[in-house]
Amino acid sequence: MSESGADHGAGAGVRGVKSALRTVALLELLAERADRPARLDELAEELDVPRSSMYQLLRTLVDCGWVRTDTTGSLYGIGIRTLLTGTSYLDGDVRVRAIRPYMDEASDALGETIHLARLDGPNVVYLATRESHEYLRTISRVGRRVPAHAGALGKALLAERPEAELPLSETPLTAFTRSTHTGRAALLADLGRVRERGYAIDREETVSGIAGFGFALRYDVPAVDAISCSVPVVRLTDEHQSRVVSVMREIQTKIESLLSPVSGAPDWR
């Protein structure tokens, strides 16, 4: 990823600050690598930054706690300060705080895993999760980013947008299981069905053995947040599916009624 392609946060007609763009690109790269620490040369090559400049940037971020390094000083990973910032984001979000009790209500009623996520470009980011009473942990967790085309949460939000505004590339979409939509035509057909029924269904498209039901929260237009219920397919009888949809629709309505609009809350974009 070269600096010429990084335009994070630069408004229309505003030239991005080179050092700031470089810092953001580095932190995002380290975050994507998760448990795979990187060496100086790898980072410099990936971001197309001179080795000496990358070293200075890394040392500054290590000193500030945004990046960590091992005892040899040769490996780098994301630092603890990023966790504090992420926690602050969630704590400061009026909508996340308001929705959590309704997630508890849905979890208590269904005994299944409930998620809240927000659209971020072509991905959704998980903001809150209530685990199943059966303790069947899925790959989803707070802070995790998943391509929107691959699950109920993302498809519920993509269906709120016209085809011309979908944040999708023209290249084949990433497959997570055999059921994931990898072609644009198949995904568009599915989004049409989502619009007709009013909610999205993910049948083992993100995780094998797990089905999901996603509901857009329309206190924004188009919606940027969605809730979902994840159910192991071995427990998904027709009767249980009907109850999941019924309860989640009720929760969706309650949340939208409460947060339309959020009195006194900033209209974040």
Side-chain angles (χ1 to χ4, degrees):
M1 174 181 164
S2 66
E3 291 172 33
S4 61
D7 58 0
H8 297 72
V14 179
R15 183 177 179 83
V17 178
K18 184 176 181 180
S19 59
L21 293 175
R22 183 176 287 179
T23 301
V24 170
L26 172 59
L27 291 174
E28 289 187 346
L29 177 57
L30 290 174
E32 289 174 2
R33 293 180 65 92
D35 61 347
R36 297 180 295 113
R39 297 184 181 277
L40 170 61
D41 290 342
E42 292 179 89
L43 296 171
E45 180 179 357
E46 178 72 18
L47 298 179
D48 193 20
V49 174
R51 190 177 188 278
S52 58
S53 298
M54 177 58 70
Y55 178 75
Q56 293 174 10
L57 177 56
L58 284 167
R59 292 313 310 174
T60 299
L61 292 174
V62 167
D63 291 342
C64 295
W66 288 86
V67 172
R68 60 179 174 175
T69 187
D70 68 339
T71 55
T72 68
S74 60
L75 294 175
Y76 298 93
I78 201 72
I80 195 169
R81 289 284 176 181
T82 58
L83 173 61
L84 300 178
T85 301
T87 301
S88 178
Y89 177 88
L90 295 175
D91 291 344
D93 193 295
V94 174
R95 289 169 173 174
V96 173
R97 292 204 308 270
I99 291 169
R100 282 171 177 154
Y102 294 98
M103 296 178 66
D104 292 335
E105 181 179 338
S107 179
D108 290 341
L110 297 171
E112 304 292 357
T113 298
I114 310 299
H115 298 296
L116 167 67
R118 180 163 294 162
L119 191 67
D120 178 31
N123 306 298
V124 292
V125 178
Y126 287 84
L127 302 179
T129 293
R130 296 294 180 265
E131 294 290 350
S132 166
H133 296 177
E134 301 292 329
Y135 196 66
L136 182 75
R137 184 177 296 275
T138 68
I139 64 168
S140 304
R141 63 182 184 275
V142 173
R144 182 179 179 84
R145 185 168 59 180
V146 175
H149 72 272
L153 286 161
K155 291 194 297 180
L157 292 170
L158 292 179
E160 297 291 301
R161 290 153 173 79
E163 180 179 348
E165 296 178 13
L166 292 178
L168 302 171
S169 69
E170 296 299 328
T171 58
L173 303 170
T174 302
F176 290 86
T177 71
R178 294 180 179 178
S179 301
T180 307
H181 293 304
T182 56
R184 190 181 183 91
L187 176 62
L188 293 177
D190 194 358
L191 295 182
R193 293 189 290 271
V194 173
R195 297 183 187 103
E196 290 176 3
R197 75 169 77 93
Y199 61 93
I201 300 178
D202 159 14
R203 297 192 184 280
E204 302 185 78
E205 295 170 32
T206 309
V207 182
S208 295
I210 300 293
F213 302 85
F215 299 76
L217 298 173
R218 301 183 180 97
Y219 40 68
D220 287 312
V221 180
V224 294
D225 295 344
I227 54 172
S228 74
C229 178
S230 296
V231 185
V233 293
V234 296
R235 291 208 301 267
L236 190 60
T237 62
D238 290 343
E239 181 180 1
H240 191 38
Q241 177 170 326
S242 295
R243 175 153 174 75
V244 167
V245 171
S246 176
V247 169
M248 293 300 290
R249 274 181 164 159
E250 181 179 350
I251 295 297
Q252 176 193 37
T253 299
K254 289 181 177 180
I255 294 172
E256 290 175 344
S257 297
L258 177 69
L259 296 177
S260 298
V262 180
S263 178
D267 185 16
W268 297 112
R269 287 292 182 265

